[in-house]
Amino acid sequence: MVKTETEEKNWVGRPVPRKEENRLLRGRGKFADDIKLRNMLYLGFVRSSYAHARIVAVDTSRAQARKGVVSVLTGPEIASETQPFLEIGPEPCAKIKDYPLAVSKIRYQGEPVAAVLAESPALAVDAVELVDVQYEPLDPVVDVEEALKDESVLHEEAATNRVWRGVFEYGNVDQAFAEAAYVVDIDRLHFHRFSSTPLETNVILAQWDGKDERIYYWCNNSFPSFAIQFLAAHLGVPIDRIRVETSDIGGSFGIKITSYPQMAVCALASRKAGGRAVKWVETRSEHMLASAHGNERTFRRTRVALDRQGVITALVSEHLDDCGAYPRYEPLGCVIWSQVFPGVYRFRNARIDFTQAVTNKCPVGPNRGYSRMQHLWFLERVVDICAHQLAIPADEMRLRNYIRREEFPYTTPNGCVYDSGNYAKMLDVAKALIGWEEWKKKQASAREEGRLIGIGIGTTLDSGTNNFGQSQIVNPAAPFSGNSQGANCKLDIYGEVVVAVGSCPQGQGHETTAAQVVADVLNIHPDTVTVRTGFDTERNVHTGFSGTYASQFAVSGLSAVHGAAQKLKHEMTRLAAFALQASSDDLEFGSGSTGPEIRSRSTGASINYWGLSNIVNVNSAVLPPELHDITLNCRYVWRAPFKVPDKEKKYGSLTLTYASQLHIAVVEIEPETFIPRILDYAAVDDCGTRINPPIVEGQVYGATAHGIGAALMERCVYDSLGNMLTSTFSDYTPITAMNMPNVKYGHIETPSPHSYSGAKGMGEGGAAPLHAISAALQDALSARGIVIADSFNNGDSLFRALAEQKSGQGTKPVKVERRS
Amino acid sequence: MPDEPAPVTLKLKVNGKPCALTVEPRRLLVELLREDLDLTGTHVGCDSSYCGACTVLMNGRAVKSCTMFGVQADGAEIVTVEGLEKDGQLGPIQTAFAEAYGLQCGYCTPGLLLSALQLLGSNPKPQESEIRKAIAGNTCRCTGYQNVLKAIRLAAEHMAKG
Ligand code: FES
Ligand code: FES
């Protein structure tokens, strides 16, 4: 029976259950390490125990002689067969020679020196021990300010440790300082190094197949379009000869973007082994030592001008970013922070002198909140420190400085356009959730008992869908700009609706949300839509920007899916009009007794998807010539409406959407142990229209856990020799269910005018907990004259701060000049 | 390097099915499950017994299969995530995880399901603090545990209803 009424259902915006669950809950996920190939070999890396050293000799003979070992690869061998990886930055960065195995020098502990190929994983582990490397240790540099002295240089060919420097200046800074009522100086703030450490480590299967001279990858890289561009140039092969497939990925948070050096080694090893497939499964310790960490950043000599009301009018500061031993994806981080140049604040005059340098530590990569969270944390520290110095309550200080609701779309001093938002309202919602007034009272009485309780606010942004043109601010010769995503929507031969996208999700539920979008376009149930996610070069849907990173799928990915579905719908309409001898306006999409169909309102005649697909695919002689362009297989590329930014002025629209988060943390510092404990926690989110609310909520919780973990527990610790002291989970201590507080979740929706659905990219969360927890600790300790100057705080650091304060050894990191 | 020690033959029951295998003595239980029996639902996330991605039940108790040798499971009954469904139907804990959006990437999920199964087997009405303790050895990097806790509470309710 044909239903006469169209089922009016909006699947977008509803809590549709995730399609992914069916396989993941049964243990049938297909993760890279689950794949086995015929005659596969296993690769193990020989890694340096030094952080900075010259390689005197590598002797592989004992390993080669070992039974079960097929071959050993070394740096010089790879260097003779390949080009160094592309460097994104201009000189001096461009002079750096980066190979996937160390050639003559070691630049961080854990850097791979050689790779061993063996018949089993255990034999590979054994053989790694048999490679003898002789080192001549050099002076390690683990601090960015030390590195910038260039006393010990990592990359001799670049002749300096400085990777990039640029001054971002807008408005009239000098005048604003001349007119200021208060000037606050903050000597040093420091954002620590950590990593979101996905639970699944990097895994690569590679085969350089001699039969067709192609390289096949099955892996969990999370930005394969970027990886293949680097690999093709490095290996000297046409890019269409590299096929990358990803399937289920056990988390990435950006960290898996930079696995292309290991991908190169695996392919070269396969070629050396005559085309046998090669598998490498990273161990957790390898991951901690040598995959990628988040950027560490030091903020020096910050000066803030404020008016009599405590409104910030100008800011100057020097930012020193530590990118570890090789810039790789960097120096993009040197500009990406400027997507959120003023944070959520209204100041128009600022000068930020940004420098990035290499140090003898693990190279950094884009880690959830990449490059923006460091800057947003800095701004939140500035706001809180100024508030405390001027005795303005933290909430009031923010209200005086926030960009106002009526100012959206708001153009920032550097030309970015904040699409929508309402920060003051988020503050209200968060205060209500946490019970602000009650906590204030509790805090006051606790203080009388000598207890240290602090309440902190963190307001932050998650900028999504970036304009790759910002790379030209770093390097005017960089051939990148804009952003695009591809999708394909088709009816298969029996009428199945199949969608393919170029993303490689790691738990964000793309299969579900893409199905919701298509279901709305065709007025069918999402269960009838099959979504192929996971990257596959040969699916031919990807663009050069495809992957899953930088909070954008809801905008770029789903816009592409929406475009492809509409294209398909248009073709289906034309075809159905022909088949049913009806006019297109008479047709409606819906479901009938045989499933999805199109029917004529006037005659009631209908044709189902099999019928339509049959005509095009296997019955095409009936098709009149004017319909020969119909394929029912529609590829659509969505392009973000960007222009190339002004490189000189460092001005332009750098990101399309700006989700915002406001968190409030209540923290107590335990009197005996000085361990900070979270007493209460609220998180309010605004990502515009929510495609699938529980998925959004899940992302908020996940990002909150990463932020809380990073603020209180998780830190990559290096000693002065560059030894990494947190190379296992037991040392690094990722947050567990025992440490994670209950989060009171709230949300507001300010739909984005920049996306077709009103959605904004979200998922990185802007590291709001780091801001809120630093603020809460500051609030707890400000009465004692302590300033929270580091993003990482634990019992040890707080004990030291209080002890130094007591003994009068504490430095005065903040000065205030009152001119009125 | 010494000669390889002789392989060992062992018998165990996995998800109700008896199996006999011959493995290297250093073969870990998780390798035995994943590589020899192709039960790839059990995962590895660390090298240090921290993360619990490899959690399985051995004789009814949750164990970290990355920190046990296969030979230690000789004669044991093992349950892995693949053993949780009945006739193709998801078990109550699995259903609760789906309903509560208790997973994202799903890499930690098999381990969490088995830790939850052990908990609810001995304590059908756990307090929140007891749930947290039961999964203290299961790291999840995606969910922030909020919906995992919710899922386990929901599973307890489902199981109480029968
Ligand atoms: S893999 Fe077994 S505890 Fe992490
Ligand atoms: S869902 Fe990804 S680690 Fe738990």
Side-chain angles (χ1 to χ4, degrees):
Chain A
M1 245 210 20
V2 174
K3 282 190 211 150
T4 44
E5 271 168 65
T6 317
E7 269 181 86
E8 280 301 344
K9 272 203 182 138
N10 264 345
W11 293 102
V12 165
R14 299 212 313 193
V16 176
R18 296 202 326 158
K19 282 173 167 290
E20 292 82 349
E21 285 4 354
N22 190 42
R23 62 175 186 279
L24 294 175
L25 283 167
R26 294 175 197 263
R28 293 195 203 147
K30 188 171 160 190
F31 294 93
D33 188 23
D34 301 344
I35 301 170
K36 273 185 189 171
L37 298 170
R38 173 198 289 270
N39 219 3
M40 192 162 82
L41 293 168
Y42 298 84
L43 188 136
F45 283 107
V46 178
R47 295 178 182 276
S48 166
S49 46
Y50 289 98
H52 199 189
R54 210 165 293 293
I55 301 171
V56 179
V58 181
D59 181 355
T60 61
S61 54
R62 285 200 305 145
Q64 307 256 28
R66 171 86 173 161
K67 192 171 141 235
V69 172
V70 173
S71 67
V72 183
L73 253 80
T74 62
E77 183 181 345
I78 283 191
S80 71
E81 295 172 351
T82 60
Q83 294 298 315
F85 286 119
L86 300 171
E87 294 297 332
I88 293 175
E91 288 192 5
C93 176
K95 288 194 172 144
I96 290 174
K97 296 232 178 323
D98 182 5
Y99 287 100
L101 293 177
V103 179
S104 57
K105 243 192 112 169
I106 294 301
R107 298 184 176 93
Y108 63 100
Q109 188 181 50
E111 179 164 6
V113 182
V116 174
L117 260 193
E119 299 285 350
S120 79
L123 288 171
V125 171
D126 292 344
V128 161
E129 300 294 317
L130 298 175
V131 174
D132 301 300
V133 187
Q134 238 181 297
Y135 300 100
E136 178 194 316
L138 298 166
D139 284 341
V141 206
V142 291
D143 174 78
V144 70
E145 290 183 81
E146 283 302 311
L148 284 165
K149 291 181 189 159
D150 281 339
E151 281 162 8
S152 175
V153 172
L154 270 73
H155 299 275
E156 279 91 352
E157 53 289 12
T160 170
N161 292 326
R162 181 169 49 78
V163 172
W164 192 80
R165 181 177 169 210
V167 178
F168 296 71
E169 181 162 1
Y170 310 95
N172 193 334
V173 172
D174 294 341
Q175 190 185 342
F177 271 93
E179 290 169 0
Y182 306 98
V183 174
V184 176
D185 281 88
I186 307 165
D187 179 46
R188 183 177 186 274
L189 295 168
H190 174 252
F191 190 94
H192 75 294
R193 178 180 266 252
F194 60 89
S195 160
S196 296
T197 58
L199 193 56
E200 178 202 38
T201 57
N202 287 298
V203 176
I204 295 161
L205 281 84
Q207 186 169 21
W208 194 315
D209 195 334
K211 291 179 192 155
D212 55 6
E213 271 309 316
R214 296 179 49 184
I215 303 170
Y216 293 88
Y217 284 112
W218 298 264
C219 64
N220 54 16
N221 182 286
S222 54
F223 191 176
S225 281
F226 177 81
I228 56 177
Q229 293 174 59
F230 270 61
L231 286 166
H234 170 66
L235 299 171
V237 296
I239 203 161
D240 78 298
R241 300 236 160 172
I242 304 176
R243 178 176 191 177
V244 181
E245 276 183 80
T246 69
S247 43
D248 286 315
I249 297 182
S252 166
F253 318 111
I255 294 292
K256 287 175 180 160
I257 289 175
T258 39
S259 64
Y260 61 84
Q262 296 90 328
M263 289 172 78
V265 176
C266 291
L268 291 163
S270 168
R271 184 171 69 179
K272 193 168 178 185
R276 286 177 71 179
V278 167
K279 185 185 223 180
W280 173 63
V281 180
E282 183 178 53
T283 65
R284 175 54 58 187
S285 312
E286 288 185 296
H287 185 85
M288 301 308 292
L289 272 172
S291 60
H293 299 154
N295 300 54
E296 178 177 354
R297 200 171 292 169
T298 308
F299 309 91
R300 292 305 311 267
R301 293 171 277 278
T302 301
R303 299 194 81 208
V304 193
L306 300 103
D307 72 9
R308 220 172 292 275
Q309 276 70 47
V311 174
I312 296 172
T313 54
L315 179 75
V316 298
S317 188
E318 292 167 33
H319 296 185
L320 309 172
D321 191 84
D322 172 350
C323 72
Y326 293 88
R328 302 210 167 144
Y329 198 88
E330 302 300 320
L332 290 181
C334 295
V335 65
I336 282 177
W337 63 273
S338 72
Q339 295 169 4
V340 293
F341 185 85
V344 291
Y345 299 110
R346 303 177 75 210
F347 64 85
R348 305 293 308 176
N349 310 300
R351 178 172 61 241
I352 289 173
D353 185 341
F354 195 102
T355 303
Q356 186 173 66
V358 286
T359 60
N360 292 115
K361 292 186 282 196
C362 175
V364 304
N367 186 42
R368 192 176 210 169
Y370 176 44
S371 188
R372 293 98 85 217
M373 67 175 162
Q374 289 81 353
H375 184 67
L376 291 157
W377 177 83
F378 160 77
L379 290 173
E380 285 296 78
R381 295 312 315 121
V382 163
V383 166
D384 266 309
I385 290 170
C386 291
H388 276 124
Q389 297 299 329
L390 305 186
I392 301 170
D395 52 341
E396 181 55 36
M397 181 72 176
R398 285 179 169 79
L399 289 174
R400 290 183 199 177
N401 282 282
Y402 279 155
I403 296 162
R404 312 237 156 92
R405 182 175 61 109
E406 59 278 9
E407 291 173 315
F408 291 98
Y410 179 82
T411 303
T412 66
N414 62 329
C416 291
V417 183
Y418 289 3
D419 47 348
S420 60
N422 190 344
Y423 310 139
K425 184 165 167 205
M426 290 173 84
L427 181 58
D428 282 345
V429 174
K431 279 165 97 175
L433 273 177
I434 201 110
W436 179 266
E437 296 306 328
E438 293 92 286
W439 270 117
K440 282 278 165 196
K441 279 184 212 139
K442 281 187 215 161
Q443 181 187 33
S445 53
R447 269 201 184 141
E448 277 165 25
E449 297 163 23
R451 286 164 62 197
L452 295 170
I453 290 184
I455 308 171
I457 300 167
T459 323
T460 196
L461 294 169
D462 190 354
S463 49
T465 307
N466 50 344
N467 177 358
F468 278 82
Q470 61 205 284
S471 61
Q472 299 190 29
I473 290 176
V474 169
N475 182 358
F480 309 111
S481 71
N483 195 333
S484 64
Q485 287 301 330
N488 194 85
C489 198
K490 70 172 178 187
L491 294 193
D492 216 323
I493 298 177
Y494 281 165
E496 302 89 341
V497 182
V498 183
V499 184
V501 287
S503 70
C504 33
Q506 315 113 26
Q508 298 90 338
H510 292 182
E511 277 170 65
T512 310
T513 50
Q516 288 174 259
V517 168
V518 175
D520 275 352
V521 172
L522 300 179
N523 193 26
I524 54 178
H525 195 282
D527 283 354
T528 58
V529 181
T530 299
V531 182
R532 304 247 177 265
T533 60
F535 190 90
D536 182 352
T537 351
E538 304 221 332
R539 228 178 254 152
N540 199 30
V541 289
H542 66 288
T543 72
F545 300 116
S546 292
T548 292
Y549 58 94
S551 297
Q552 59 173 325
F553 185 75
V555 175
S556 62
L558 292 183
S559 295
V561 168
H562 185 247
Q566 282 192 311
K567 226 169 146 178
L568 178 67
K569 185 182 183 182
H570 183 65
E571 286 196 359
M572 289 166 72
T573 306
R574 285 172 61 210
L575 192 60
F578 158 73
L580 300 174
Q581 293 300 305
S583 82
S584 352
D585 343 325
D586 182 38
L587 297 177
E588 63 181 3
F589 282 67
S591 292
S593 57
T594 62
E597 64 175 22
I598 302 175
R599 59 199 161 233
S600 154
R601 283 195 196 86
S602 53
T603 68
S606 68
I607 182 164
N608 66 14
Y609 287 11
W610 172 77
L612 288 173
S613 199
N614 172 269
I615 299 173
V616 169
N617 286 298
V618 291
N619 202 5
S620 60
V622 304
L623 210 57
E626 65 272 20
L627 297 183
H628 278 183
D629 61 315
I630 291 178
T631 61
L632 299 182
N633 189 347
C634 302
R635 179 177 192 261
Y636 181 82
V637 173
W638 175 85
R639 288 190 182 82
F642 286 126
K643 294 199 174 67
V644 177
D646 184 325
K647 309 170 205 182
E648 304 290 290
K649 295 193 182 129
K650 301 186 174 66
Y651 187 93
S653 169
L654 305 184
T655 348
L656 200 61
T657 62
Y658 286 84
S660 48
Q661 293 79 26
L662 195 145
H663 290 201
I664 298 182
V666 182
V667 179
E668 173 160 21
I669 300 168
E670 284 194 349
E672 307 275 296
T673 61
F674 301 91
I675 292 173
R677 300 244 183 251
I678 296 176
L679 304 179
D680 206 353
Y681 201 94
V684 176
D685 177 72
D686 174 10
C687 60
T689 309
R690 295 179 305 167
I691 310 283
N692 186 323
I695 289 182
V696 166
E697 204 178 317
Q699 289 293 317
V700 171
Y701 292 141
T704 302
H706 276 170
I708 293 175
L712 301 173
M713 303 173 68
E714 301 178 26
R715 169 170 62 145
C716 300
V717 184
Y718 282 88
D719 70 9
S720 59
L721 295 176
N723 294 308
M724 201 216 186
L725 307 182
T726 47
S727 63
T728 69
F729 264 180
S730 307
D731 299 307
Y732 184 75
T733 60
I735 191 164
T736 71
M738 299 301 279
N739 321 105
M740 181 64 196
N742 282 326
V743 175
K744 296 172 173 167
Y745 168 77
H747 75 97
I748 69 165
E749 281 191 16
T750 62
S752 173
H754 291 175
S755 67
Y756 90 89
S757 60
K760 303 178 184 189
M762 61 87 60
E764 294 182 79
L770 284 146
H771 320 330
I773 290 169
S774 288
L777 292 171
Q778 167 93 54
D779 186 46
L781 296 172
S782 63
R784 309 214 179 172
I786 290 171
V787 168
I788 296 296
D790 202 290
S791 55
F792 182 81
N793 295 280
N794 62 7
D796 182 49
S797 67
L798 295 171
F799 167 74
R800 279 168 209 275
L802 279 157
E804 277 173 14
Q805 223 282 326
K806 231 181 193 165
S807 67
Q809 290 168 358
T811 45
K812 269 251 169 265
V814 176
K815 287 196 202 82
V816 190
E817 193 187 318
R818 293 166 205 271
R819 299 201 181 136
S820 42
Chain B
M1 213 164 266
D3 281 344
E4 281 161 36
V8 188
T9 301
L10 58 134
K11 284 201 177 97
L12 68 170
K13 234 186 201 176
V14 180
N15 300 328
K17 237 170 70 191
C19 12
L21 318 124
T22 304
V23 297
E24 263 192 276
R26 66 171 167 181
R27 195 92 165 143
L28 298 170
L29 178 56
V30 68
E31 295 168 342
L32 183 153
L33 294 169
R34 288 181 54 83
E35 305 302 327
D36 300 317
L37 299 177
D38 267 330
L39 294 169
T40 53
T42 305
H43 298 144
V44 175
C46 70
D47 323 316
S48 57
S49 228
Y50 187 94
C51 77
C54 61
T55 306
V56 297
L57 295 191
M58 178 159 127
N59 300 328
R61 290 196 43 201
V63 297
K64 293 185 170 174
S65 62
C66 74
T67 323
M68 286 191 58
F69 292 112
V71 292
Q72 290 175 282
D74 193 11
E77 288 205 23
I78 305 283
V79 179
T80 70
V81 64
E82 289 89 347
L84 294 181
E85 56 188 283
K86 280 214 175 63
D87 307 323
Q89 296 297 310
L90 294 182
I93 303 179
Q94 290 165 305
T95 312
F97 267 72
E99 287 168 357
Y101 290 76
L103 60 154
Q104 290 180 23
C105 78
Y107 197 77
C108 66
T109 313
L112 273 164
L113 292 172
L114 290 155
S115 290
L117 181 63
Q118 165 175 271
L119 169 73
L120 298 178
S122 58
N123 181 358
K125 279 192 185 162
Q127 304 286 312
E128 184 179 302
S129 60
E130 291 170 319
I131 303 179
R132 286 180 183 268
K133 220 167 162 186
I135 60 166
N138 292 89
T139 305
C140 172
R141 287 312 260 166
C142 301
T143 62
Y145 306 103
Q146 302 296 291
N147 289 345
V148 171
L149 296 169
K150 201 167 141 191
I152 298 175
R153 281 195 299 265
L154 196 62
E157 284 170 30
H158 286 343
M159 286 162 85
K161 281 189 210 135

